[in-house]
Amino acid sequence: MSHFSVVVVIAFILMLSAFAVGTSEFIIVGVLPEVAADLGVDVPTAGLLVTAYAVSVALGGPVLTVLTGRIARRTLLISVMALALVASLGSALAHDYTLLMTARVVAALAQGLFFAVASQVAIAAVPPEKQTAAIAKVVNGVALSTILGIPLGTLIGQNYGWRASFVLVSALTAIGLVGVVLGTPKIAHEPDPGVRAGLFAFGRRTVLLGLATTVLSFTGLITAFTYVAPALREVSGFEPGWVTGVLLVYGLGTLVGSTLAGRVPTDRIARVLPVPLAVLGAGLLTQGLVLESKVAAVVSVFVLGASAFTAGPLIHTYLMGQAGSAAGLVASVNISAFNVAAALGPMLGGVVLTSGLGLRWIGTVGGLSTILGVGVALVVGRVTAARPATSGTTTPLAAHV
């Protein structure tokens, strides 16, 4: 098989697997009211399932990345996808809040490790100038999960119960697992340098600033996105069935965004990054106003998806390029940073609700955090211009069939 063919196969498999893992993470957002009602908890308590998932990824991902640094990438991908399948089946079978929480934590641990390994495999398949596009391919899988997986899962959950949504996740994960087993060749990789050596990467200002950008920017997005379903129902006046359609529009925006990110050359990321983040921040700050109009709400949801998923691959690729031999560990920590944001977002949204401000103010409050992220991204650009990034993190493909 030619090198080009191997690259295409790997990209497809990683995108397919990311599609399954991404659907597993976000699908609960669309059925949050159904989960709350069925398990006898209120919506903010059900939202803690999102928080616990994010905390588990944030804490478990880097630890598991270090512990599995010497395992062959193909073997590790197979193991991670198998664990994700067990977790999604457990979610479908959970009959109370505690069991569902446990299954979600296991799924989160699988996800934290998956994206670190998938990022390494993706950049190993391409030359340095193509690394942004390679990471974007993985992110495309997450984008597709918002286009197809989440709306379909929401529709299924509303008509057949939220557990049926996790049956869908299980089926998608099983397909991804089969793809990894049958189609992923051996990948040569340099084992992660370990915690002590990896800490040197976190002494770089560019790495610390990049991680801060992730936390601040995406806290704002997730604050709004966690409660988007009830906001579209209660503020914009959409019927439950139409909420699924609006989530589909969000998904289309994420696919557009990740595609745009793949067109940004690696050496221009630091200069381009503040642009999509500024668009994201503006969209969040004005969400309270635009939710009053159904048309404006739909447009706003699309813009949020497109801007966020343009910024995400750019930050991730940038950080891996700055990390040198610790690229895998830094990739995992960036996923953790994203999930710190995912933990803070629902909590911040819950504070807005319990304070009496209401659903229309959630996006505006979250937008303040994203605007801070824009400021940090501008600093990233200046620091990078003064201190050029390290060269690419590409490692070669091993011999393959």
Side-chain angles (χ1 to χ4, degrees), residues 128-132 263-272 314 317-318 322 381 384-385 388-390:
E129 66 272 13
K130 297 291 185 181
Q131 288 177 1
T132 308
R263 298 179 180 275
V264 178
T266 307
D267 59 357
R268 290 182 57 84
I269 289 177
R271 283 177 286 177
V272 172
L314 296 182
T317 307
Y318 173 83
Q322 294 290 314
T384 303
T390 59

Side-chain angles (χ1 to χ4, degrees), residues 381-394:
R382 288 197 294 269
V383 173
T384 303
R387 177 184 178 181
T390 59
S391 58
T393 57
T394 300

Side-chain angles (χ1 to χ4, degrees), residues 18 23 52 56 66 69 75 103 139 146 175 182-183 212 216 247 251 267 290 329 352:
T23 301
S56 298
V66 172
T75 300
V139 176
T146 64
I175 294 172
L182 298 181
L216 291 170
L247 291 176
D267 59 357
V290 300
L329 180 58
V352 174

